[in-house]
Amino acid sequence: MKKNISKYNIHTDKWGNLVALEGNDLIPFHIRRVYYIYGVQKGVRRGFHSHKKLEQVLICVHGSVKILVKTPDEEEIVTLNKPNEGLYIGPNIWREMYDFSEDAVLLVLASAHYKESDYIRKYDDYLKYYEKKVRGSK
Ligand code: TYD
């Protein structure tokens, strides 16, 4: 599964903390889109999709959130609760986000503009796509 967690350097001085991220460097792709999710109600679970091509880095810049990442072969739950920790999620990985703290702000850096045709939103379709395009090409 093409996913990993990176720790970023925090520049701390008497004026506070600063984390700087550059595309094609600490972020392993050219950043073409940034979005953030916040104000998620208790008990809400979102995501429920994979992407055919898109790469993303998720950073919980405030509060905490759990991310389930899975393929037909493996699955893992990652807790994001540090503003200097990023979870890279490559293509063809199913993800669900849940247990958002009330104050959670989930920042997402993405490798491409929003394109609905890059999404697979039904788990059955994901399994079929994975068998054909991912396992089939190995
Ligand atoms: P979606 O990706 O389904 O959210 P999540 O996976 O976190 O539940 O996006 C929710 C809605 O927002 C959907 O209608 C598409 C829209 N959207 C954009 O317009 N641009 C974007 O960059 C993203 C991520 C979503």
Side-chain angles (χ1 to χ4, degrees):
M1 183 154 50
K2 277 192 187 151
K3 71 115 196 57
N4 65 276
I5 297 165
S6 298
K7 281 239 170 184
Y8 311 121
N9 223 27
I10 308 175
H11 175 85
T12 301
D13 54 31
K14 62 182 173 186
W15 299 285
N17 305 305
L18 183 153
V19 176
L21 305 169
E22 298 196 3
N24 289 330
D25 184 30
L26 290 173
I27 303 301
F29 49 78
H30 180 65
I31 300 164
R32 291 199 175 77
R33 177 165 50 114
V34 175
Y35 63 93
Y36 41 94
I37 298 169
Y38 64 97
V40 177
Q41 302 271 316
K42 223 177 170 173
V44 167
R45 202 169 171 108
R46 52 188 301 164
F48 296 99
H49 64 256
S50 75
H51 287 281
K52 295 174 189 167
K53 297 257 167 66
L54 191 73
E55 298 174 85
Q56 296 185 307
V57 169
L58 281 62
I59 303 165
C60 192
V61 292
H62 197 257
S64 70
V65 63
K66 289 198 180 96
I67 318 285
L68 165 73
V69 280
K70 74 173 179 178
T71 69
D73 305 317
E74 48 186 326
E75 71 174 72
E76 202 176 317
I77 292 163
V78 177
T79 299
L80 292 178
N81 56 10
K82 295 181 189 75
N84 69 324
E85 196 169 271
L87 171 66
Y88 168 85
I89 306 181
N92 301 311
I93 295 177
W94 187 261
R95 85 282 316 267
E96 296 170 21
M97 293 93 89
Y98 62 104
D99 271 4
F100 283 80
S101 63
E102 233 172 80
D103 58 351
V105 182
L106 181 63
L107 176 73
V108 183
L109 310 175
S111 64
H113 289 180
Y114 175 76
K115 193 167 130 201
E116 186 57 37
S117 62
D118 188 67
Y119 280 73
I120 302 176
R121 291 192 181 271
K122 290 194 182 122
Y123 194 66
D124 273 4
D125 293 343
Y126 168 67
L127 290 176
K128 282 181 206 144
Y129 185 88
Y130 195 94
E131 285 310 317
K132 203 168 141 195
K133 302 279 183 185
V134 183
R135 244 198 277 280
S137 68
K138 274 182 191 161

Coordinates of all heavy atoms in Angstrom, one line a residue, residues 9-52:
N9 N 9.7 19.2 10.0 CA 10.5 20.1 10.9 C 9.6 21.3 11.4 O 8.9 21.9 10.6 CB 11.6 20.7 10.1 CG 12.9 20.7 11.0 OD1 13.0 19.8 11.9 ND2 13.8 21.6 10.7
I10 N 9.7 21.6 12.7 CA 9.0 22.8 13.2 C 10.0 23.8 13.5 O 11.0 23.6 14.2 CB 8.2 22.4 14.5 CG1 7.3 21.2 14.3 CG2 7.4 23.6 14.9 CD1 6.6 20.8 15.6
H11 N 9.8 25.0 12.9 CA 10.6 26.1 13.3 C 10.0 26.8 14.4 O 8.9 27.4 14.3 CB 10.8 27.1 12.1 CG 11.5 28.3 12.4 ND1 12.9 28.3 12.4 CD2 11.1 29.5 12.8 CE1 13.3 29.5 12.7 NE2 12.2 30.3 13.0
T12 N 10.7 26.7 15.6 CA 10.1 27.3 16.8 C 11.0 28.5 17.3 O 12.2 28.3 17.3 CB 10.0 26.3 17.9 OG1 9.1 25.2 17.5 CG2 9.3 26.9 19.2
D13 N 10.3 29.6 17.5 CA 11.1 30.7 18.1 C 10.2 31.3 19.2 O 9.1 30.8 19.4 CB 11.6 31.6 17.1 CG 10.5 32.1 16.2 OD1 9.4 32.2 16.6 OD2 10.8 32.4 15.0
K14 N 10.6 32.4 19.7 CA 9.8 33.0 20.8 C 8.5 33.6 20.3 O 7.6 34.0 21.0 CB 10.6 34.1 21.5 CG 11.1 35.3 20.6 CD 11.9 36.3 21.5 CE 12.5 37.3 20.6 NZ 13.4 38.2 21.2
W15 N 8.3 33.6 18.9 CA 7.1 34.1 18.4 C 6.1 33.0 18.0 O 5.0 33.2 17.5 CB 7.4 35.0 17.1 CG 8.2 36.1 17.4 CD1 7.8 37.3 18.0 CD2 9.6 36.3 17.2 NE1 8.9 38.1 18.2 CE2 10.0 37.6 17.6 CE3 10.6 35.5 16.6 CZ2 11.3 38.0 17.6 CZ3 11.9 36.0 16.5 CH2 12.2 37.2 17.0
G16 N 6.5 31.7 18.2 CA 5.6 30.6 18.0 C 6.2 29.5 17.1 O 7.5 29.4 17.0
N17 N 5.4 28.8 16.4 CA 5.9 27.6 15.6 C 5.5 27.8 14.1 O 4.4 28.4 13.8 CB 5.2 26.4 16.1 CG 5.4 26.1 17.5 OD1 6.6 26.1 18.0 ND2 4.3 26.0 18.3
L18 N 6.3 27.3 13.2 CA 6.1 27.4 11.8 C 6.5 26.1 11.1 O 7.6 25.6 11.4 CB 6.9 28.6 11.3 CG 6.7 29.0 9.8 CD1 7.0 30.5 9.6 CD2 7.6 28.2 8.9
V19 N 5.6 25.6 10.3 CA 6.0 24.4 9.5 C 5.9 24.8 8.1 O 4.8 25.3 7.7 CB 5.0 23.2 9.9 CG1 5.3 22.0 9.0 CG2 5.1 22.8 11.3
A20 N 6.9 24.5 7.3 CA 6.9 24.9 5.9 C 7.0 23.6 5.0 O 7.8 22.7 5.3 CB 8.1 25.8 5.6
L21 N 6.2 23.5 4.0 CA 6.2 22.3 3.2 C 6.3 22.8 1.7 O 5.5 23.7 1.3 CB 4.8 21.6 3.4 CG 4.5 21.2 4.8 CD1 3.1 20.7 5.0 CD2 5.5 20.1 5.3
E22 N 7.2 22.2 1.0 CA 7.3 22.5 -0.4 C 7.0 21.3 -1.3 O 7.4 20.2 -1.0 CB 8.7 23.0 -0.7 CG 9.0 24.3 0.1 CD 10.2 25.1 -0.4 OE1 10.8 24.7 -1.4 OE2 10.5 26.1 0.3
G23 N 6.3 21.6 -2.4 CA 6.0 20.5 -3.4 C 7.2 20.0 -4.0 O 8.3 20.7 -4.1
N24 N 7.2 18.7 -4.4 CA 8.3 18.0 -5.0 C 9.5 17.9 -4.1 O 10.7 17.8 -4.5 CB 8.8 18.7 -6.3 CG 7.8 18.4 -7.4 OD1 7.1 17.4 -7.4 ND2 7.7 19.4 -8.3
D25 N 9.3 18.1 -2.8 CA 10.3 18.0 -1.8 C 9.8 17.2 -0.6 O 9.6 16.0 -0.7 CB 10.7 19.4 -1.4 CG 11.9 19.5 -0.5 OD1 12.8 18.5 -0.5 OD2 12.0 20.4 0.4
L26 N 9.5 17.8 0.5 CA 8.9 17.1 1.6 C 7.5 16.5 1.2 O 7.1 15.4 1.6 CB 8.6 18.0 2.8 CG 9.9 18.4 3.5 CD1 9.6 19.5 4.6 CD2 10.6 17.2 4.1
I27 N 6.8 17.2 0.3 CA 5.6 16.7 -0.3 C 6.0 16.1 -1.6 O 6.5 16.8 -2.5 CB 4.5 17.9 -0.5 CG1 4.2 18.6 0.8 CG2 3.3 17.3 -1.1 CD1 3.7 17.7 1.9
P28 N 5.8 14.8 -1.8 CA 6.4 14.1 -2.9 C 5.7 14.3 -4.3 O 5.7 13.4 -5.1 CB 6.4 12.7 -2.5 CG 5.2 12.5 -1.6 CD 5.1 13.9 -0.9
F29 N 5.0 15.4 -4.5 CA 4.4 15.7 -5.7 C 4.2 17.2 -5.9 O 4.4 18.0 -4.9 CB 3.0 15.0 -5.9 CG 2.1 15.2 -4.7 CD1 1.4 16.4 -4.5 CD2 2.0 14.2 -3.8 CE1 0.5 16.5 -3.4 CE2 1.1 14.4 -2.7 CZ 0.4 15.5 -2.5
H30 N 4.0 17.7 -7.1 CA 3.7 19.1 -7.3 C 2.3 19.4 -6.7 O 1.3 18.7 -7.1 CB 3.7 19.3 -8.8 CG 3.5 20.8 -9.2 ND1 4.3 21.8 -8.8 CD2 2.5 21.3 -9.9 CE1 3.8 22.9 -9.3 NE2 2.7 22.7 -9.9
I31 N 2.2 20.3 -5.8 CA 0.9 20.6 -5.2 C 0.0 21.4 -6.1 O 0.4 22.6 -6.5 CB 1.1 21.3 -3.8 CG1 1.9 20.5 -2.9 CG2 -0.3 21.7 -3.2 CD1 2.5 21.2 -1.7
R32 N -1.1 20.9 -6.5 CA -2.0 21.6 -7.4 C -3.3 22.1 -6.8 O -4.1 22.8 -7.3 CB -2.3 20.8 -8.7 CG -1.1 20.6 -9.6 CD -1.5 20.2 -10.9 NE -0.3 20.2 -11.8 CZ 0.6 19.2 -11.8 NH1 0.4 18.2 -11.0 NH2 1.6 19.2 -12.6
R33 N -3.6 21.5 -5.6 CA -4.8 21.9 -4.9 C -4.6 21.7 -3.4 O -3.9 20.8 -2.9 CB -5.9 20.9 -5.4 CG -7.3 21.1 -4.7 CD -8.4 20.4 -5.5 NE -8.0 19.1 -5.8 CZ -8.6 18.0 -5.3 NH1 -9.7 18.1 -4.5 NH2 -8.2 16.8 -5.7
V34 N -5.3 22.6 -2.6 CA -5.3 22.6 -1.2 C -6.7 22.7 -0.7 O -7.5 23.5 -1.3 CB -4.5 23.8 -0.6 CG1 -4.6 23.8 0.9 CG2 -3.0 23.7 -1.0
Y35 N -7.2 21.8 0.1 CA -8.5 22.0 0.8 C -8.4 21.6 2.2 O -7.5 21.0 2.6 CB -9.6 21.3 0.0 CG -9.5 19.8 -0.1 CD1 -10.2 19.0 0.9 CD2 -8.8 19.1 -1.1 CE1 -10.1 17.6 0.9 CE2 -8.7 17.8 -1.1 CZ -9.4 17.0 -0.2 OH -9.3 15.6 -0.2
Y36 N -9.4 22.0 3.0 CA -9.4 21.6 4.4 C -10.8 21.3 4.9 O -11.8 21.9 4.3 CB -8.7 22.7 5.3 CG -9.0 24.1 5.0 CD1 -10.0 24.8 5.6 CD2 -8.2 24.8 4.0 CE1 -10.2 26.1 5.3 CE2 -8.4 26.1 3.7 CZ -9.4 26.8 4.4 OH -9.7 28.1 4.1
I37 N -10.9 20.4 5.8 CA -12.2 20.0 6.3 C -12.2 20.3 7.8 O -11.2 20.0 8.5 CB -12.3 18.4 6.1 CG1 -12.2 18.1 4.7 CG2 -13.5 17.9 6.8 CD1 -12.1 16.6 4.4
Y38 N -13.3 20.9 8.3 CA -13.4 21.3 9.7 C -14.9 21.4 10.0 O -15.7 21.3 9.1 CB -12.7 22.6 9.9 CG -13.3 23.8 9.2 CD1 -14.2 24.7 9.9 CD2 -13.0 24.1 7.9 CE1 -14.8 25.7 9.2 CE2 -13.5 25.1 7.2 CZ -14.4 26.0 7.9 OH -15.0 27.0 7.2
G39 N -15.2 21.5 11.3 CA -16.6 21.6 11.7 C -17.3 20.3 11.5 O -18.5 20.3 11.2
V40 N -16.6 19.2 11.6 CA -17.3 17.9 11.3 C -18.0 17.4 12.6 O -17.4 17.4 13.7 CB -16.3 16.8 10.9 CG1 -16.9 15.4 10.7 CG2 -15.6 17.2 9.6
Q41 N -19.3 17.1 12.5 CA -20.1 16.7 13.7 C -19.6 15.4 14.2 O -19.1 14.6 13.5 CB -21.5 16.6 13.2 CG -22.1 17.8 12.6 CD -22.8 18.7 13.6 OE1 -23.5 18.3 14.5 NE2 -22.5 20.0 13.4
K42 N -19.9 15.3 15.5 CA -19.6 14.0 16.2 C -20.2 12.8 15.5 O -21.4 12.9 15.1 CB -20.1 14.1 17.7 CG -19.2 13.6 18.7 CD -19.7 13.8 20.1 CE -18.8 13.0 20.9 NZ -18.7 13.0 22.2
G43 N -19.5 11.7 15.4 CA -20.0 10.5 14.8 C -20.0 10.5 13.3 O -20.3 9.4 12.7
V44 N -19.6 11.5 12.7 CA -19.6 11.6 11.2 C -18.4 10.8 10.7 O -17.3 10.9 11.2 CB -19.6 13.0 10.7 CG1 -19.3 13.1 9.2 CG2 -21.0 13.7 10.9
R45 N -18.7 10.0 9.6 CA -17.6 9.3 8.9 C -17.7 9.7 7.5 O -18.8 9.8 6.9 CB -17.9 7.8 9.1 CG -16.7 6.9 8.9 CD -17.1 5.5 9.3 NE -16.0 4.6 9.0 CZ -15.2 4.0 9.9 NH1 -15.4 4.2 11.1 NH2 -14.3 3.2 9.4
R46 N -16.6 10.1 6.9 CA -16.6 10.6 5.5 C -15.5 10.0 4.7 O -14.7 9.2 5.3 CB -16.6 12.1 5.5 CG -15.6 12.8 6.3 CD -15.8 14.3 6.3 NE -15.8 14.8 5.0 CZ -16.3 16.0 4.6 NH1 -16.8 16.8 5.5 NH2 -16.2 16.4 3.4
G47 N -15.3 10.4 3.5 CA -14.3 9.7 2.6 C -15.1 8.7 1.8 O -15.8 9.0 0.9
F48 N -14.9 7.5 2.2 CA -15.5 6.3 1.5 C -15.3 6.4 0.0 O -16.2 6.4 -0.9 CB -17.1 6.3 1.7 CG -17.4 6.0 3.1 CD1 -17.8 7.1 4.0 CD2 -17.4 4.7 3.6 CE1 -18.2 6.9 5.3 CE2 -17.8 4.5 4.9 CZ -18.2 5.6 5.8
H49 N -14.0 6.5 -0.4 CA -13.7 6.5 -1.8 C -12.2 6.2 -2.0 O -11.4 6.2 -1.0 CB -14.0 7.9 -2.5 CG -13.3 9.0 -2.0 ND1 -13.8 10.0 -1.1 CD2 -12.0 9.4 -2.2 CE1 -12.9 10.9 -0.9 NE2 -11.8 10.6 -1.5
S50 N -11.8 5.9 -3.2 CA -10.4 5.9 -3.6 C -10.2 6.7 -4.8 O -11.2 7.2 -5.4 CB -10.0 4.4 -3.9 OG -10.4 4.0 -5.1
H51 N -9.0 7.0 -5.2 CA -8.7 7.8 -6.4 C -7.9 6.9 -7.4 O -7.0 6.1 -7.0 CB -7.9 9.0 -6.0 CG -8.7 10.0 -5.3 ND1 -9.6 10.9 -6.0 CD2 -8.9 10.4 -4.0 CE1 -10.2 11.7 -5.2 NE2 -9.8 11.4 -4.0
K52 N -8.1 7.1 -8.6 CA -7.4 6.4 -9.7 C -6.0 6.9 -9.8 O -5.0 6.1 -10.0 CB -8.1 6.5 -11.0 CG -9.5 5.8 -11.0 CD -10.2 6.1 -12.3 CE -11.7 5.6 -12.1 NZ -12.5 6.1 -13.2

